[in-house]
Amino acid sequence: MMTRQYKPSLVPVALILTLVVLLATLFTGQQVAQGMTGIWQLLTGEASPYQSIVVWQWRASRALGALIIGAGLGVSGAVFQSLVRNPLGSPDITGFNVGAFTGVLLSIAWFGNLYWMSVLGAILGGLGAATLVYLFAYREGHSGFRLIIVGIAISATLTAFNQWLSLSVSLETAMTAALWSAGSLNGMTWSKVLPAAILLILLMCIALAMNSRMKLLEMGDDTAAALGVSVNKSRLALMFVGVSLTAVATAITGPIAFISLAAPQIARRLENNASISLTASALVGAMLLLAADFLAQHAWQGITLPVGLVTISLAGLYLVYLIVREGRL
């Protein structure tokens, strides 16, 4: 007698876990909410002005920023891993976030620490890195493995350039760049979160609208072309959306590793699906970044770490796992 294998649905599981972490992020901590009564007072507006400011002005904006940025990084990783058909093909590995870092460094060096100039610099830097990778990897077409290798080389080159640039600018500029490069959600106010959220949601909607083309490209360039897809135009458009998602997220928080690398693969395994889902990757990315930020704030008493340090620690272990797994295939 055959037994039917139980496959848990990702959406309700991810939503429940995200809600649990969100409530913990909002209401955990001293002098914020004392038990269920304190939480109820915060929800009904009966808490003190100090408690309301801490929770709804500071923590809620930070939590929403983590959710939106995590979702954007998850979608960006899904787009690139789908295009190169390799779980290592994420913006972390192929150097697009390093290119965004280069753009922000140049923006800070030329124009000072201006928020929207940093965002523009990150987008241009990320697109510049993607252009270099695309051109150097082209050999009568693109292969996923070649894109990854060229991306690693471009990333190493840009990392060296960033270090040289950091040593060449003034001490104040170098310190600003060093703090930003750690990747942090500190100081995430509503005035920063809302414009970035609109831009990231718009880019994610464009990615979802191109989901059918992305699935056809996963079948191979020849098959996609036979089915009427303009391969080069579609790949360039998807790369633009993916790079823009990474660049906007990087401009707001600094480089945050691991999310775009791991979220699509975790989502694919949870769904037990051969292809990568953009929606599931967004859900897992949002949950991962929110949970990592909670750890960064509360895992060490009295110390708040940049969330980028937490995610990059997890990324090292996950990368070793992927390399070992890919080597066995």
Side-chain angles (χ1 to χ4, degrees):
M1 178 178 178
M2 295 181 62
T3 58
R4 185 177 180 182
Q5 185 179 3
Y6 173 70
K7 297 179 181 179
S9 175
L10 170 67
V11 174
V13 173
L15 287 177
I16 291 172
L17 289 176
T18 303
L19 181 61
V20 170
V21 180
L22 177 62
L23 292 175
T25 299
L26 291 177
F27 301 120
T28 298
Q30 297 179 349
Q31 300 180 353
V32 175
Q34 301 298 326
M36 294 303 297
T37 304
I39 293 174
W40 178 254
Q41 289 175 341
L42 282 166
L43 293 174
T44 56
E46 298 175 356
S48 68
Y50 170 74
Q51 289 175 315
S52 298
I53 289 173
V54 170
V55 173
W56 302 123
Q57 294 296 321
W58 299 345
R59 293 190 175 184
S61 59
R62 181 176 182 139
L64 178 63
L67 290 172
I68 296 294
I69 292 168
L73 290 174
V75 171
S76 176
V79 167
F80 282 106
Q81 290 180 19
S82 175
L83 285 178
V84 303
R85 297 189 288 275
N86 192 309
L88 292 176
S90 94
D92 308 24
I93 305 298
T94 49
F96 302 149
N97 58 350
V98 181
F101 184 22
T102 303
V104 173
L105 274 178
L106 291 173
S107 170
I108 293 175
W110 289 336
F111 304 107
N113 192 18
L114 300 177
Y115 178 67
W116 284 108
M117 290 305 295
S118 298
V119 173
L120 181 61
I123 293 175
L124 293 177
L127 290 174
T131 303
L132 290 176
V133 172
Y134 190 86
L135 292 177
F136 283 114
Y138 187 81
R139 294 289 185 278
E140 298 179 352
H142 287 91
S143 74
F145 183 72
R146 193 186 303 127
L147 280 169
I148 293 172
I149 295 300
V150 172
I152 291 173
I154 296 294
S155 176
T157 305
L158 290 176
T159 300
F161 175 76
N162 291 345
Q163 291 178 350
W164 171 82
L165 191 61
S166 298
L167 294 174
S168 303
V169 296
S170 66
L171 179 61
E172 182 182 358
T173 302
M175 290 179 65
T176 302
L179 288 173
W180 179 85
S181 66
S184 175
L185 290 166
N186 293 337
M188 192 62 61
T189 60
W190 287 113
S191 61
K192 288 184 178 179
V193 167
L194 293 179
I198 293 172
L199 188 55
L200 288 171
I201 290 173
L202 177 63
L203 289 167
M204 284 189 279
C205 290
I206 295 174
L208 286 172
M210 300 186 67
N211 188 45
S212 58
R213 294 189 184 187
M214 193 179 77
K215 297 299 180 188
L216 292 175
L217 288 174
E218 287 181 1
M219 301 167 67
D221 291 356
D222 294 338
T223 305
L227 293 173
V229 176
S230 177
V231 174
N232 288 330
K233 288 182 180 178
S234 300
R235 180 177 283 114
L236 281 174
L238 284 165
M239 286 183 68
F240 176 81
V241 174
V243 170
S244 298
L245 283 169
T246 299
V248 172
T250 304
I252 299 167
T253 63
I256 293 180
F258 180 65
I259 305 299
S260 57
L261 176 69
Q265 296 304 315
I266 293 173
R268 186 170 66 84
R269 283 166 174 76
L270 287 175
E271 287 194 325
N272 197 19
N273 198 337
S275 62
I276 296 174
S277 165
L278 292 181
T279 305
S281 300
L283 280 173
V284 174
M287 183 181 63
L288 283 178
L289 188 56
L290 187 65
D293 190 50
F294 180 79
L295 284 177
Q297 294 182 74
H298 299 287
W300 293 268
Q301 190 170 7
I303 299 175
T304 300
L305 294 176
V307 67
L309 293 183
V310 176
T311 59
I312 202 160
S313 300
L314 299 173
L317 298 174
Y318 186 75
L319 189 58
V320 170
Y321 161 75
L322 277 184
I323 292 173
V324 170
R325 185 178 179 279
E326 289 295 304
R328 291 175 179 170
L329 296 178

